[in-house]
Amino acid sequence: MTAVRGQVLTPLGWGTAAGSALLYAAGWRLGYPEPAMFGIAGLAAVAGAALWTLPQVRLDVRRETAPAKVERGEPAVGVLHVTNRGRGARGVRARDVAGPGSIEVDIPRLRAGGTRTVTYRLPTGRRGELPVGPLRLERADPLRLARRTREYGAQEVLLVRPRTVPLALLPSGRAHHLEGPTSDRSPAGTATFHALREYVIGDELRHIHWKSSARTGTLMVRRLVDASLPTTTVVLEARPGAWPEPDDFELAVDAAASVAAGAASAHFPVRVLTGDGQVAETRGGPDDLETLLDRLTSVEVREGPRSTVDAVRRMRGGGSLVVVVSGAAGAAELGGVAAVRSRFDRVVVLRVRPAEPASAPPGVQLVDFADLEGLAETWRRLGRAR
């Protein structure tokens, strides 16, 4: 598929055409042949430049990105399979669109019907969806009076996801049944045996425990509950005022992704939230890691209806809570997190590049870090300390 973009005449071409027209008009009106001849020559040059750009190279372009998903900063390449459907073409210089910019691509000489494969590095320094393509082939005359741009090939999208480091699941400090919690407050279900109780009207007969019933003389039924694993909740500060430096927010997203990925890799449920609302929630399945990283790819700094502290206060408890905030977070924010300490097994606050040290509130573990490697080291010490 080929599309034509852009104006034919360049600013220089328009200027030359306008100046030539004025020279011709002045020479004709005043009776001077020399200016009129210069004007005709200029107009002829502009017309010839426009005709120069008319022939087009007939190309079929098929594009791939390898890999299709990559961590921020990791290498990725674009692969172009270019086939010449017209006459032989000399070396073609083109630019392939890559996000807000473009990358120069040199395509070697192509004979009629020939195919070339060209690879080039893609920029992966920014997290997000990176549109790649189409290939833009520009044809200009030697005097740069006219230019015509044609586009080839469909657009692909490279997903640049947050960078992560391995973080083990922190022990919660409470004993959990191997198949989940089995307390008297666990919801009734069909999966895990918890206890025996007396039969009541409405119970299913298949749940009757006949041996216990014969021994006690009373119909006894098995009480089954739905097992659930402790959830890791990650709350990310995403208000614009909290992140004067964009790089600090990117590091915060990397930290949140690392914590979430560690829990998901251990097949534990994960919730990720910002003050703007829920980003992702998983249940401990095999595809959770991919889902979490894909969702965190699109997280941006923006105003939300609630602050991060409000989001922490309103969420349901259970499992571990990890809050990722900027280094400017002070006593008020830390106190708001500490207020929900009793609802979670463990509460950890991660501060990104703090300007000054702070004291952790009772029951809250405070981790200050300046890079992911430092976070990983401190995280390992947290796991050994409890």
Side-chain angles (χ1 to χ4, degrees):
M1 181 178 64
T2 306
V4 181
R5 288 175 56 94
Q7 59 187 15
V8 175
L9 295 185
T10 65
L12 178 59
W14 284 110
T16 302
S20 299
L22 288 175
L23 280 174
Y24 176 79
W28 178 79
R29 187 173 184 82
L30 297 176
Y32 292 102
E34 291 83 0
M37 293 297 294
F38 279 115
I40 292 174
L43 291 174
V46 172
L51 291 174
W52 183 283
T53 63
L54 279 179
Q56 69 176 35
V57 180
R58 296 177 56 194
L59 301 178
D60 282 347
V61 176
R62 183 168 58 87
R63 176 180 289 98
E64 302 173 36
T65 59
K69 300 177 182 180
V70 66
E71 285 192 0
R72 182 170 63 89
E74 292 297 314
V77 297
V79 182
L80 293 175
H81 305 281
V82 184
T83 303
N84 183 15
R85 297 301 183 189
R87 294 178 297 178
R90 296 180 179 179
V92 175
R93 298 177 70 87
R95 301 194 72 86
D96 206 20
V97 176
S102 60
I103 300 171
E104 187 168 333
V105 180
D106 291 334
I107 301 175
R109 181 183 179 89
L110 283 169
R111 58 180 177 80
T115 300
R116 294 277 190 172
T117 298
V118 181
T119 62
Y120 57 92
R121 289 284 297 269
L122 291 172
T124 60
R126 295 184 59 184
R127 176 179 52 85
E129 293 184 354
L130 181 74
V132 182
L135 182 71
R136 290 178 178 172
L137 179 62
E138 184 180 281
R139 187 178 180 89
D141 70 289
L143 298 178
R144 303 296 176 181
L145 298 177
R147 180 192 305 114
R148 196 184 302 268
T149 302
R150 292 180 171 87
E151 296 182 346
Y152 300 86
Q155 188 180 80
E156 298 286 337
V157 175
L158 172 66
L159 204 62
V160 182
R161 304 195 295 191
R163 182 177 167 233
T164 61
V165 291
L167 298 181
L169 189 69
L170 290 178
S172 67
R174 297 186 184 180
H176 291 279
H177 192 276
L178 290 176
E179 296 183 0
T182 54
S183 68
D184 290 335
R185 292 176 292 178
S186 299
T190 60
T192 304
F193 172 76
H194 172 55
L196 294 173
R197 61 171 175 81
E198 292 187 11
Y199 173 86
V200 295
I201 297 176
D203 284 338
E204 295 186 34
L205 295 179
R206 62 190 179 94
H207 290 163
I208 294 177
H209 194 268
W210 294 108
K211 289 185 178 180
S212 298
S213 299
R215 186 171 59 253
T216 60
T218 304
L219 280 179
M220 304 292 292
V221 296
R222 293 184 294 269
R223 182 168 185 267
L224 304 179
V225 297
D226 281 335
S228 60
L229 295 169
T231 300
T232 297
T233 301
V234 183
V235 182
L236 173 65
E237 173 65 80
R239 291 176 297 170
W243 304 101
E245 298 294 334
D247 289 346
D248 288 353
F249 180 69
E250 288 303 312
L251 180 56
V253 176
D254 292 347
S258 298
V259 175
S265 298
H267 304 294
F268 277 70
V270 180
R271 290 194 301 257
V272 181
L273 305 96
T274 67
D276 193 43
Q278 182 168 286
V279 175
E281 183 170 10
T282 60
R283 298 178 178 273
D287 299 325
D288 287 359
L289 180 58
E290 293 295 311
T291 299
L292 290 167
L293 293 179
D294 287 352
R295 296 285 181 84
L296 281 165
T297 297
S298 59
V299 171
E300 298 177 350
V301 173
R302 62 181 181 180
E303 291 288 354
R306 312 183 290 218
S307 69
T308 302
V309 173
D310 288 337
V312 169
R313 287 172 177 167
R314 297 185 184 187
M315 73 178 61
R316 65 182 184 273
S320 298
L321 171 67
V322 179
V323 182
V324 185
V325 296
S326 70
E333 290 84 351
L334 297 177
V337 175
V340 301
R341 171 66 185 90
S342 61
R343 292 163 42 200
F344 294 90
D345 298 352
R346 190 167 192 167
V347 177
V348 181
V349 176
L350 308 182
R351 291 203 312 165
V352 178
R353 295 181 180 138
E356 56 186 28
S359 300
V364 174
Q365 293 175 301
L366 184 62
V367 176
D368 293 341
F369 68 101
D371 52 52
L372 286 183
E373 289 69 25
L375 172 62
E377 178 59 31
T378 306
W379 194 268
R380 283 192 289 270
R381 289 200 298 267
L382 286 180
R384 292 193 298 263
R386 185 170 178 175

